[in-house]
Amino acid sequence: MITIKVFENYDELSAQAAEMFKEVLNTTENPVLGLATGSSPEGLYKALVEMHKNKELDFSNVSTVNLDEYVGLSGDHDQSYRYFMNTHLFDHVNIDKAKTFVPNGLAQDLEQEGKDYDQRIKDLGGVDLQVLGIGSNGHIGFNEPAEKLVLGTHVEDLTESTIEANSRFFETRDDVPKRAISMGLGTILDAKKIILVASGKSKAEAIASLVDEYITTQVPATLLKLHPDVTVLVDKEAASLL
Ligand code: GLP
């Protein structure tokens, strides 16, 4: 079931997302957090770092698993998702980096890497709280619109619209990797609780597709309707077509 909450602005929705993280961290013995990259969760991570500084949050027992990673980028490339996580969160809190997992985009055997990644999540006991962003075409992680979607962690070819959207982070459009390794919809839906954060007009259409009675693999985020506990936190612009 999806609950949508609309906030005045991005800072307010980020603060609410951080409160929901705090609740899970404070009530779970060895919390496993599912994390996302992109601009949308940046405010959440900032708020978590702030809470940690104020001694409200302890990350010493926390493990994390990230949704996705570009194929071909090493963890020290400044556009890799490992680098993003280190610089936006892990470097600023008391987390043991050995317990932070991001798919390895440099793995020789990417198919095996996907299988191992799903097994790792199982071994950790599953994800307690997963945060998601959403692409303007409705992709989550890097699960792009398609006739069929893959359940487990796997390699995806990025769509032109995603390459275009993500080119803002790279010097040229040609520098954007064309493939990524991403948790599948099955992996994502296995999380006990999910939060999706979105802001801005470009997300309004994708957000509107979360409230009608349809699910379609052409808008991967609509499959979240099958999950029992999803909270969507949006600002007014992202909510403008609701
Ligand atoms: C990327 C990521 C997604 C993210 C989406 C939206 O392609 N793989 O996880 O949700 O883009 O990004 P942003 O939050 O920057 O708009």
Side-chain angles (χ1 to χ4, degrees):
M1 211 198 63
I2 297 187
T3 306
I4 300 200
K5 295 188 177 163
V6 183
F7 293 84
E8 205 55 42
N9 56 48
Y10 178 66
D11 284 347
E12 283 182 23
L13 81 85
S14 301
Q16 177 59 29
E19 283 302 326
M20 293 174 75
F21 265 73
K22 185 177 167 185
E23 166 80 17
V24 168
L25 288 184
N26 288 342
T27 55
T28 315
E29 210 170 324
N30 291 302
V32 179
L33 303 178
L35 301 178
T37 54
S39 321
S40 306
E42 276 185 23
L44 159 67
Y45 298 146
K46 230 171 134 188
L48 292 178
V49 169
E50 209 47 47
M51 284 174 167
H52 172 69
K53 282 199 185 126
N54 296 336
K55 311 226 178 312
E56 290 170 58
L57 278 188
D58 171 26
F59 286 82
S60 57
N61 296 326
V62 173
S63 302
T64 66
V65 287
N66 262 77
L67 278 173
D68 48 10
E69 178 61 283
Y70 287 117
V71 168
L73 297 193
S74 76
D76 47 24
H77 188 290
D78 66 3
Q79 289 310 325
S80 74
Y81 288 168
R82 159 56 72 184
Y83 187 90
F84 177 103
M85 288 315 306
N86 286 348
T87 50
H88 286 86
L89 183 64
F90 303 153
D91 287 345
H92 312 290
V93 296
N94 65 330
I95 199 163
D96 175 1
K97 278 213 187 127
K99 294 197 291 190
T100 67
F101 301 99
V102 180
N104 178 9
L106 291 181
Q108 284 290 330
D109 184 342
L110 289 163
E111 200 179 316
Q112 191 58 44
E113 170 66 14
K115 288 188 180 132
D116 293 347
Y117 201 72
D118 287 335
Q119 188 56 49
R120 166 157 289 136
I121 296 172
K122 285 205 178 87
D123 294 344
L124 288 168
V127 171
D128 293 298
L129 177 61
Q130 173 72 55
V131 63
L132 301 172
I134 187 168
S136 48
N137 63 359
H139 77 245
I140 48 177
F142 269 123
N143 295 279
E144 296 279 22
E147 195 181 325
K148 290 179 180 180
L149 298 179
V150 185
L151 284 173
T153 302
H154 65 286
V155 173
E156 277 276 325
D157 292 323
L158 306 192
T159 62
E160 284 304 316
S161 80
T162 299
I163 293 171
E164 184 60 39
N166 291 2
S167 65
R168 69 190 195 277
F169 299 114
F170 291 82
E171 224 156 273
T172 72
R173 198 177 188 281
D174 285 346
D175 293 328
V176 185
K178 308 287 178 285
R179 293 190 304 157
I181 177 161
S182 175
M183 283 187 194
L185 258 302
T187 325
I188 293 169
L189 289 173
D190 271 345
K192 288 163 202 148
K193 196 179 175 66
I194 298 175
I195 302 178
L196 187 149
V197 286
S199 64
K201 260 217 140 50
S202 67
K203 303 294 171 69
E205 212 173 309
I207 292 301
S209 72
L210 300 180
V211 297
D212 65 29
E213 59 177 332
Y214 302 105
I215 52 172
T216 168
T217 58
Q218 297 297 344
V219 186
T222 61
L223 297 203
L224 295 173
K225 294 173 193 178
L226 299 171
H227 190 279
D229 188 358
V230 179
T231 307
V232 174
L233 307 174
V234 288
D235 67 359
K236 280 184 159 170
E237 285 76 33
S240 59
L241 295 177
L242 292 180

